[in-house]
Amino acid sequence: MEGHHCISTLEIAEIYFNTSSQNLKQLAKDFFNSMDEDHDEKVSLTEFLNNMKEEGLVKAENPPEMFKALDMNRDGSLDFKEVMALYYVIKSGRPFCGGCGKFIPGMFFSCSICFDNEDDKFCVCPKCFSNENKSYTHKHMPDRFLDNFALLEAKRKMAMDTRMPPPLPEEPKKKSTWLLRLLESAIGVAVVAGAEGATVAGSTAVADLAAEGDSCSIM
């Protein structure tokens, strides 16, 4: 749609930062300062790799590839906003692809069974998931995978179902008498046709049922 775009990880991180409390903002700034070893207001690849290795911040199979993904302006270093994107990745548990091993900055597919029951929720990027010659093997079938948006919606519906009260038992249906069926027919016609046409249609219903009533004994 015009005026809309796919929001980036950096933009998401910036939104979270701007709406955070002062305490959380300070924690984010402390995180940046801890990575900026030479205090030049940017994080080099060397500083990034040192922190990744020493602190074990994320399980990256290819840290330089992740650095490249975070370096949005391609200047060879990470500024504060780009490090905030890393901070968001860590806190939100953004995954690495179980196929190619690369960091997934956008939409991904997760195994719904592993997501609920395993230590590794097993996620793959769209390219690997859609590849007919899949670059990965997994113990569960592809039809068990959901993208992150569909998975979130499925979890929401499951939570709502657990909160819903059990359905009330249905009341036994009463036997319709000729008069009751006549009223039900007239009401149904009024709802569908509207008040203006209800009189004519209702009269037709009365005439149709009157013939049946001739053969019934009304007590």
Side-chain angles (χ1 to χ4, degrees), residues 7-18 69-73 78-86 88-89 94 105:
I7 190 168
S8 68
T9 305
L10 188 149
E11 290 172 301
I12 297 172
E14 187 173 7
I15 291 171
Y16 273 117
F17 180 80
N18 291 337
L70 291 168
D71 184 15
M72 304 293 182
N73 59 9
L78 304 182
D79 58 24
F80 179 76
K81 289 184 179 181
E82 290 166 340
V83 171
M84 286 308 94
L86 172 64
Y88 164 72
V89 166
R94 285 277 180 157

Side-chain angles (χ1 to χ4, degrees), residues 195-207:
E196 183 176 352
T199 303
V200 176
S203 298
T204 303
V206 171

Side-chain angles (χ1 to χ4, degrees), residues 5-206:
H5 66 284
C6 183
I7 190 168
S8 68
T9 305
L10 188 149
E11 290 172 301
I12 297 172
E14 187 173 7
I15 291 171
Y16 273 117
F17 180 80
N18 291 337
T19 56
S20 294
S21 65
Q22 287 301 123
N23 182 51
L24 291 177
K25 287 181 178 179
Q26 187 58 52
L27 289 174
K29 291 176 181 177
D30 292 342
F31 176 79
F32 175 79
N33 292 333
S34 69
M35 296 193 74
D36 181 19
E37 298 171 353
D38 58 6
H39 308 294
D40 62 351
E41 299 300 320
K42 57 185 178 181
V43 174
S44 66
L45 175 60
T46 300
E47 291 171 328
F48 176 80
L49 294 176
N50 288 342
N51 280 272
M52 292 281 283
K53 181 178 179 180
E54 293 179 6
E55 303 298 331
L57 296 176
V58 291
K59 297 178 181 179
E61 294 185 19
N62 191 345
E65 186 70 27
M66 183 178 184
F67 181 90
K68 183 179 178 181
L70 291 168
D71 184 15
M72 304 293 182
N73 59 9
R74 301 292 185 263
D75 66 350
S77 63
L78 304 182
D79 58 24
F80 179 76
K81 289 184 179 181
E82 290 166 340
V83 171
M84 286 308 94
L86 172 64
Y87 190 71
Y88 164 72
V89 166
I90 296 168
K91 294 299 182 181
S92 64
R94 285 277 180 157
F96 289 80
C97 179
C100 63
K102 294 181 179 180
F103 167 63
I104 310 175
M107 192 270 286
F108 52 88
F109 289 84
S110 297
C111 174
S112 59
I113 298 177
C114 293
F115 192 91
D116 284 330
N117 303 301
E118 304 287 343
D119 292 334
D120 181 8
K121 55 189 176 183
F122 196 80
C123 303
V124 290
C125 66
K127 184 177 180 180
C128 285
F129 184 70
S130 61
N131 184 8
E132 292 183 1
N133 299 318
K134 289 185 169 52
S135 58
Y136 65 93
T137 56
H138 188 60
K139 55 188 173 183
H140 300 127
M141 298 297 291
D143 60 359
R144 298 294 185 177
F145 280 71
L146 292 172
D147 69 77
N148 46 319
F149 300 104
L151 185 64
L152 179 62
E153 181 64 11
K155 294 295 180 185
R156 186 186 73 85
K157 288 182 178 178
M158 288 176 62
M160 291 179 64
D161 289 342
T162 59
R163 295 198 303 267
M164 291 178 63
L168 297 174
E170 293 185 5
E171 295 184 3
K173 295 182 179 179
K174 298 178 181 179
K175 293 183 178 180
S176 295
T177 63
W178 177 82
L179 180 60
L180 180 57
R181 283 186 283 127
L182 174 64
L183 292 173
E184 289 174 344
S185 177
I187 292 171
V189 170
V191 170
V192 175
E196 183 176 352
T199 303
V200 176
S203 298
T204 303
V206 171

